[in-house]
Amino acid sequence: MSPIHFSLPTQVFLETDAVAHHAALFARGKKAMIVTGRTSAKRNGAQDDVVAALAQHQIPYVLYDAVPSNPGIATCYEGARLAKESGADFVIAIGGGSPMDAGKAIALLAASPLTRDQLFTGPYTAALPLIHIPTTSGTGSEVTPYAILSDDEAQTKRSIATPLLFPQVALLDPKYQAQLPHRTTVNTALDALSHNIESMLSARRTPLISALAASGIRAFAETRAALADGTLTMDDRTRLLYASLTGGIAIAHTATNIVHALGYSLTYFRHIDHGRANALTLATYLDFLEHRAPGVTAPILSATGQHDLAAFHAMIDALIGKKEPFTTEEIDRYVPYAFASKNSHGAIIDTTREDLRALYQDSLLA
Ligand code: NAP
Ligand code: ZN
């Protein structure tokens, strides 16, 4: 058996009313900074629950509610300036991956004097403590040491990776997703599926992580019909939160690889949602790997309940619907970014630039 390494410094609770049940965990400092997107945290009840938990401990807070989707560097410096000016000594991030990642970068920048050049490389010395409350089921950011930011200078999405970014606490409650738009539900579920699958196809995979990831894929598969027709129950929402959680824990150990490397340009240049950007190349990537290393996709197919790769393609196609048109010129532009991404070299099989080009072509031009 290959060597096993497993660690998760985050206390995780997945249950209805998680914030109220674990309000004591919010007594973590003298002043909190709540980081959210523009609207959803106010509408879905998560922000009110957090404010009530803080009030129980007489902890004041400052609100930074300006995080856009796919946040950039300037947003995080602005949030960190507010955190420092207001004297916040811990961060509570509520939302999808965008506010959760911005909250991480803010916690880092508020505690470490990092220049823009050092932001993605370190040295990282300190971060404010973090509490994460995910309101989508996709990124698993609540249990990863990563923050992914759009970098306009590099014209791509880049990741900050340091164990300082692991939240101390993650509170997962499906009730916040009752009004999550169908498209976002599907796209984020596909992100969770990609994380679980890519971890099983990583050079750093272990039996322990693969077993966890496979359980997340099975949870995803149980919701498949409801995901397709938009009839998710709260039990389905809980299954997807679980799939997102296992995906996050899995990539915290293995990182993501080719599918994410290919997806970043689709989001950066074409504004395609992160999870959908991954799903556009996921099935073709499985074909590619199976061709190079026969049998390698069998555990994934088994967890999804699909008997072959054609059935896997059909499952993904049904969820993504009509694909966006792409040109060969666009693909030529994306290949160097995918090849330069640090994600593109951690998979079971190494890929060349030409492999990446073929993956884009077979996925997007077919
Ligand atoms: P998102 O950009 O956080 O949110 C997408 C949309 O959903 C926003 O309009 C948001 O509104 C809305 N929304 C969120 N929760 C909602 C709810 N409960 N009800 C109704 N609407 C809700 O999308 P995401 O897919 O979760 O996150 C994507 C980001 O995560 C990308 O930047 C990606 O690179 C990153 N990511 C990070 C990791 C990691 O390990 N750190 C892993 C994968 C992906 P508001 O703006 O109003 O909140
Ligand atoms: Zn992802």
Side-chain angles (χ1 to χ4, degrees), residues 191 195 260 274 278:
D191 190 26
H195 295 163
H260 274 65
H274 171 71
N278 295 331

Side-chain angles (χ1 to χ4, degrees), residues 1-7 204-210 253:
M1 190 187 273
S2 49
I4 300 280
H5 162 251
F6 182 90
S7 81
R204 288 153 63 185
R205 71 200 180 285
T206 66
L208 180 61
I209 291 300
S210 294
H253 289 82

Side-chain angles (χ1 to χ4, degrees), residues 138-140 148 188 190-192 194-195 198 251 256 260 264 274-275 278:
T139 69
I148 322 287
T188 48
L190 289 166
D191 190 26
S194 300
H195 295 163
E198 284 174 79
I251 62 170
T256 54
H260 274 65
Y264 287 148
H274 171 71
N278 295 331

Side-chain angles (χ1 to χ4, degrees), residues 139-280:
T139 69
S141 177
E142 69 277 8
V143 285
T144 74
Y146 315 123
I148 322 287
L149 302 181
S150 298
D151 181 349
D152 290 332
E153 236 169 65
Q155 292 206 308
T156 188
K157 302 198 70 172
R158 296 177 70 191
S159 57
I160 307 172
T162 161
L164 294 168
L165 294 185
F166 274 114
Q168 274 72 7
V169 176
L171 298 163
L172 290 69
D173 186 338
K175 78 178 178 191
Y176 299 138
Q177 297 189 33
Q179 305 301 325
L180 187 67
H182 181 59
R183 221 355 77 204
T184 311
T185 301
V186 171
N187 290 343
T188 48
L190 289 166
D191 190 26
L193 178 68
S194 300
H195 295 163
N196 285 301
I197 289 178
E198 284 174 79
S199 77
M200 292 174 76
L201 299 172
S202 163
R204 288 153 63 185
R205 71 200 180 285
T206 66
L208 180 61
I209 291 300
S210 294
L212 186 69
S215 76
I217 295 172
R218 284 194 294 276
F220 167 92
E222 285 167 23
T223 69
R224 192 188 142 201
L227 260 182
D229 61 19
T231 56
L232 289 128
T233 62
M234 269 302 136
D235 282 346
D236 292 321
R237 297 263 178 216
T238 304
R239 289 185 187 97
L240 290 176
L241 258 180
Y242 175 77
S244 178
L245 174 68
T246 65
I249 297 171
I251 62 170
H253 289 82
T254 64
T256 54
N257 43 73
I258 305 302
V259 170
H260 274 65
L262 294 168
Y264 287 148
S265 280
L266 307 185
T267 298
Y268 189 83
F269 292 112
R270 293 286 301 269
H271 309 293
I272 294 173
D273 283 358
H274 171 71
R276 179 177 175 84
N278 295 331
L280 285 169

Side-chain angles (χ1 to χ4, degrees), residues 58-59 95 230:
Q58 288 92 41
I59 299 173

